Amino acid sequence: MPDTGVWTRKDLLGLEELSREEIEHILDTANGFKEISTRSIKKAPALRGKVVLNLFFEPSTRTKASFSLAAQRLSADLVDIVKESSSTVKGETLVDTGRNLEAMGVDIVIIRHQQAGAPALLARSLDACVVNAGDGTHEHPTQGLLDIFTMREKFGDLAGKKIALVGDITHSRVARSNIWGLRKLGAEVGLIGPKTLIPGAFKDLGVNIHHNLDEVLDHYDVFNILRIQMERQHKGLFPSVREYHHLYGIDAGRLARMKPDVVIMHPGPINRGIEISQEVADGENSVILRQVRNGLAVRMAVLVLVQSAKESHGG
Ligand code: CP
């Protein structure tokens, strides 16, 4: 196990509670893990003999596969449980589920849950490490970290860099994790979208809020474009998908009015033709698949750090 340095937490629940030094330590540790993915045998022994549990109560392609591969590359044993095949559908509580799995020797629980705070509840109830893989509209810390890791690869120091988050901020746990992390690293953060999708209270987080995308196209260095989360919207928050695309969709015309070396990001899944056009998603400024690749190294770092902290510091 590597030296955990400033990292002493057995859980990763969000970026809000982390210091700048802790965030940088995770990113620096992830840098070291990137190389493993380039080897022909993509394995390291750091978690040999440990058991990692994926406990996913919401759908996921990227995060679940990325944590699975991260655990396997670190030589851990992996157990996968999804909502439909878990005994929570028979009425078992989340904490009872966690305790039963811990009794079988699970060391690290990766949890995605529709309720904000579910990972924190589990973390308080278990000796096992708990990593938040997205809880309601609260946080998605490893997505925030991999986004920031990808920006750091491009720019180095993020102090003073201008990062825009575009779209459905209200329902986005990715936006919250990005805002907390980026502000701690000294970046200027702008939120762009219709009034109905950006809560006014976000001003208190030290961000700029814009409702007219076209006025700020050439101001930002990065546009991190968020999915319109239809499944979390209980009433019409904009007139139509067509109108949303007209006002806030990032297409070739808008890309041409941005800085020439602007970085286009998206956490996925993408709704092509709504928040981002085909040619922008697949174009030269897009780092969308680089984000996914970097996610693996970031998640390897998180798994090793939380397990090491539990062993070294007792959590
Ligand atoms: N970005 C992200 O969380 O994607 P998934 O929902 O596919 O995990």
Side-chain angles (χ1 to χ4, degrees), residues 37-172:
S37 295
T38 64
R39 295 183 197 163
S40 60
I41 298 176
K42 300 176 175 54
K43 283 275 188 193
L47 292 183
R48 184 179 291 151
K50 306 297 176 198
V51 181
V52 174
L53 166 70
N54 268 334
L55 188 55
F56 275 62
F57 291 89
E58 284 187 340
S60 168
T61 297
R62 278 147 290 272
T63 311
K64 188 162 173 291
S66 183
F67 271 117
S68 299
L69 284 168
Q72 287 164 338
R73 286 186 185 177
L74 294 166
S75 309
D77 295 325
L78 178 69
V79 182
D80 265 322
I81 294 187
V82 293
K83 181 182 178 181
E84 295 72 23
S85 62
S86 83
S87 286
T88 57
V89 297
K90 297 187 245 176
E92 186 172 63
T93 67
L94 175 64
V95 170
D96 279 336
T97 297
R99 285 189 177 141
N100 277 270
L101 291 159
E102 187 173 56
M104 294 179 215
V106 165
D107 295 287
I108 304 175
V109 180
I110 316 297
I111 176 171
R112 172 170 287 190
H113 201 280
Q114 64 278 8
Q115 292 293 337
L121 171 68
L122 209 53
R124 285 195 299 276
S125 311
L126 303 183
D127 292 328
C129 305
V130 175
V131 178
N132 180 4
D135 61 330
T137 59
H138 173 228
E139 281 222 40
H140 190 349
T142 56
Q143 181 69 46
L145 288 165
L146 75 89
D147 289 347
I148 293 168
F149 183 95
T150 306
M151 294 178 214
R152 272 210 335 178
E153 268 189 338
K154 175 84 182 166
F155 299 114
D157 187 2
L158 293 185
K161 287 291 166 210
K162 299 176 174 67
I163 317 296
L165 298 162
V166 187
D168 187 354
I169 309 295
T170 300
H171 299 96
S172 177

Side-chain angles (χ1 to χ4, degrees), residues 275-295:
E275 69 268 6
I276 189 168
S277 70
Q278 185 96 348
E279 66 269 28
V280 176
D282 301 331
E284 281 186 3
N285 297 76
S286 167
V287 295
I288 293 171
L289 293 179
R290 176 178 284 269
Q291 289 171 259
V292 176
R293 257 194 307 280
N294 287 339

